[in-house]
Amino acid sequence: MSSIERSPWLIHYDASSCNGCDIEVLACLTPVYDAERFGCIVTGDPKQADIFLVTGSVNHLNAPIVKNIYDQMPEPKAVVAIGACAYSGGVFAECYNVSGGVASTIPVDVYVPGCAAKPESILDGVVRAAQILKEKEKAMRATRKAERKGRKAEGAQR
Amino acid sequence: MKGIEIYIAIAYVVLGPLLGGLLDGFDRVITARLQGRVGPPLLQPFYDLRKLFTRRIRPVNRLQLPLIASHLVFAVLTGVLFFYGSDILLIIFVLTLASIFLVLAAYSTGSPFSTIGADRELLLMTAYEPMIIIALVALFGVAKSFNFYEILSSAMPIYLYLPGIYLGLVFVLQMKLRKSPFDISASHHAHQELVMGLTADMGGPALGMVELAHWYESVYLFALVLLFFSSSWVSAIVGLSVTYSLIIFLDNVTARVKWQRALSIAWLVTLVAGAGNLIPFYLISRGTP
Ligand code: SF4
């Protein structure tokens, strides 16, 4: 089992959610749902995080922040968009300031449905994101290896 | 006893993280059970550490990694000196140096969170150091030695002579291990006022080294506690497990205090439990030559 799959650390950002989905994210940490079972720790530092949980729609004010957090996270990383708002803007989609779902700003790996999303499905989303991370890590290793081989071959040709 | 110290010191370098990680793992499982949760697997700290070292991240500045590496090196050195049987008084200075490197690393990032965390870590150091020094002086008073093995082999029930000092030491261990109610400089939990505090802006291997140093530290800190219970195997096992459970229990039932409170309580405890134990002990032991 890859190490990243066993210890996916989370960072949670409330883009412009109504707080409904955020309460459900926090519920995942309580004894009933216990996200720590899967090795999850909620960290406040993007540099320490592996999975980015975003709730709510993205608007013009917070788009740079979402982008900033995403950019600070080390590769490989996964994004989980939680709730209807994070998918398409939800009930706020028509607002003059809303630019849409999370995908309008950064690439999303997992969508968790619901308004508000249920803690069970959020946990399911996190576990899936951890599996995706594993795949990404594998792919990253393969490309790195190929690059190294390519460089070696180049050196030999010279 | 001569000659074996060097092997114990080497064993500490190799096996220290194993023991420290297991202590951490048990801590997390017990904490989860106390809160009515299932909790992570026992080996979770090792999974975390392995992941941290595989993460590739550019450090925030050129100073951070060398400073954290020095923190780790001096934390290991403290333990090595300790188990090599060097003067415990010397070890306290190396221990302080190790903490200072961590504080410097936190300052170097310039993040407001890590700066406040570093400030608070310095305050905590001023809070716990007097008690540690009193504890060592008292241990010397009983065993007439500053050497780990000589105190250990004096085989006296030191906890009977120095109950106040023992309690004071457990109290400051709570600070040194960054446990609630004194986890004011850093915490594993993001939902606090300081976010990650001291460890903010440390990612991947940097955080891994801090974690590793913490494991090394917890091993020799528990060895220090062991000195109080070295009279027999039974008392050693009972004493260590009671101390360990007490620390986890306090961590779970107390709320974080403000730094002013932490400082004043620590000094009060040092004065009452530390000096209040040390002074009568000296008077009595001088009376019975
Ligand atoms: S999906 Fe529903 S509950 Fe979640 S943030 Fe949007 S409106 Fe609120």
Side-chain angles (χ1 to χ4, degrees):
Chain A
M1 211 180 194
S2 112
S3 58
I4 201 156
E5 194 187 3
R6 285 200 179 195
S7 107
W9 289 11
L10 317 172
I11 182 160
H12 167 210
Y13 180 68
D14 171 355
S16 53
S17 133
C18 74
N19 256 347
C21 286
D22 297 292
I23 292 173
E24 304 301 330
V25 169
L26 294 185
C28 292
L29 307 174
T30 58
V32 182
Y33 301 105
D34 191 20
E36 209 191 356
R37 270 181 301 162
F38 308 109
C40 299
I41 288 182
V42 178
T43 138
D45 188 344
K47 294 186 184 68
Q48 299 170 3
D50 309 300
I51 298 177
F52 187 13
L53 309 179
V54 197
T55 53
S57 55
V58 173
N59 60 36
H60 298 302
L61 204 59
N62 64 35
I65 301 172
V66 171
K67 182 96 182 46
N68 188 338
I69 296 177
Y70 181 77
D71 288 341
Q72 282 193 51
M73 291 167 61
E75 292 284 352
K77 51 192 162 190
V79 176
V80 181
I82 295 169
C85 293
Y87 170 60
S88 64
V91 285
F92 306 111
E94 306 289 297
C95 291
Y96 64 91
N97 60 338
V98 165
S99 44
V102 177
S104 65
T105 313
I106 54 174
V108 174
D109 298 281
V110 182
Y111 286 102
V112 176
C115 174
K118 281 187 171 180
E120 291 95 332
S121 46
I122 295 177
L123 276 184
D124 192 37
V126 168
V127 171
R128 289 219 183 164
Q131 285 161 357
I132 291 174
L133 272 179
K134 190 178 90 176
E135 297 303 321
K136 282 189 178 178
E137 196 183 39
K138 239 194 229 160
M140 243 173 76
R141 285 223 179 105
T143 38
R144 263 198 209 130
K145 220 177 177 183
E147 267 173 19
R148 235 178 288 142
K149 249 190 200 163
R151 239 177 284 139
K152 242 188 220 166
E154 224 171 74
Q157 265 180 13
R158 261 187 225 143
Chain B
M1 213 61 212
K2 271 279 158 243
I4 197 170
E5 291 97 334
I6 182 84
Y7 296 110
I8 297 184
I10 293 171
Y12 166 76
V13 176
V14 181
L15 301 177
L18 215 63
L19 200 60
L22 277 180
L23 280 175
D24 198 17
F26 271 116
D27 180 347
R28 280 173 73 174
V29 172
I30 296 172
T31 299
R33 297 289 151 87
L34 277 176
Q35 295 169 356
R37 295 187 286 126
V38 178
L42 179 62
L43 298 182
Q44 187 62 40
F46 298 104
Y47 303 148
D48 288 349
L49 195 76
R50 203 176 69 175
K51 180 204 73 179
L52 286 173
F53 278 110
T54 60
R55 299 298 259 164
R56 294 202 174 175
I57 187 163
R58 204 178 304 146
V60 287
N61 58 35
R62 263 195 262 161
L63 216 53
Q64 193 191 29
L65 269 184
L67 283 173
I68 294 178
S70 314
H71 168 59
L72 175 60
V73 167
F74 278 95
V76 177
L77 186 68
T78 315
V80 168
L81 288 174
F82 189 82
F83 289 107
Y84 185 59
S86 299
D87 203 311
I88 292 189
L89 221 45
L90 163 78
I91 289 161
I92 290 302
F93 294 118
V94 187
L95 182 151
T96 312
L97 196 58
S99 321
I100 292 286
F101 273 119
L102 182 60
V103 170
L104 284 178
Y107 273 132
S108 81
T109 64
S111 135
F113 296 118
S114 53
T115 308
I116 301 177
D119 282 345
R120 291 187 181 177
E121 182 70 13
L122 281 179
L123 281 164
L124 281 184
M125 282 166 67
T126 58
Y128 65 67
E129 294 263 317
M131 186 63 227
I132 293 188
I133 291 175
I134 286 190
L136 295 182
V137 171
L139 282 174
F140 178 81
V142 178
K144 297 283 174 279
S145 169
F146 276 128
N147 178 310
F148 174 63
Y149 295 101
E150 280 171 21
I151 303 177
L152 199 63
S153 57
S154 74
M156 277 193 282
I158 298 183
Y159 60 97
L160 289 181
Y161 294 95
L162 305 171
I165 304 269
Y166 165 70
L167 287 177
L169 196 65
V170 170
F171 188 86
V172 296
L173 271 189
Q174 207 78 4
M175 293 184 165
K176 189 82 190 107
L177 297 173
R178 297 201 199 93
K179 293 280 188 195
S180 185
F182 302 121
D183 54 346
I184 56 176
S185 67
S187 166
H188 265 310
H189 316 289
H191 295 283
Q192 64 145 310
E193 80 283 10
L194 258 191
V195 194
M196 306 310 287
L198 208 54
T199 55
D201 263 348
M202 293 176 189
L207 189 66
M209 282 196 274
V210 172
E211 201 68 359
L212 199 58
H214 189 69
W215 293 357
Y216 272 113
E217 278 185 337
S218 47
V219 173
Y220 66 71
L221 287 173
F222 276 105
L224 194 63
V225 173
L226 175 67
L227 287 182
F228 285 83
F229 301 99
S230 59
S231 52
S232 73
W233 279 105
V234 179
S235 80
I237 291 168
V238 171
L240 279 184
S241 12
V242 166
T243 311
Y244 184 63
S245 323
L246 193 65
I247 288 173
I248 295 175
F249 180 72
L250 284 177
D251 184 31
N252 275 288
V253 299
T254 51
R256 185 176 303 116
V257 295
K258 290 185 183 167
W259 67 263
Q260 293 94 332
R261 205 67 183 301
L263 202 61
S264 54
I265 300 179
W267 284 37
L268 197 72
V269 167
T270 305
L271 209 65
V272 174
N277 191 169
L278 189 62
I279 294 168
F281 173 76
Y282 254 100
L283 293 180
I284 294 170
S285 60
R286 283 186 75 186
T288 52

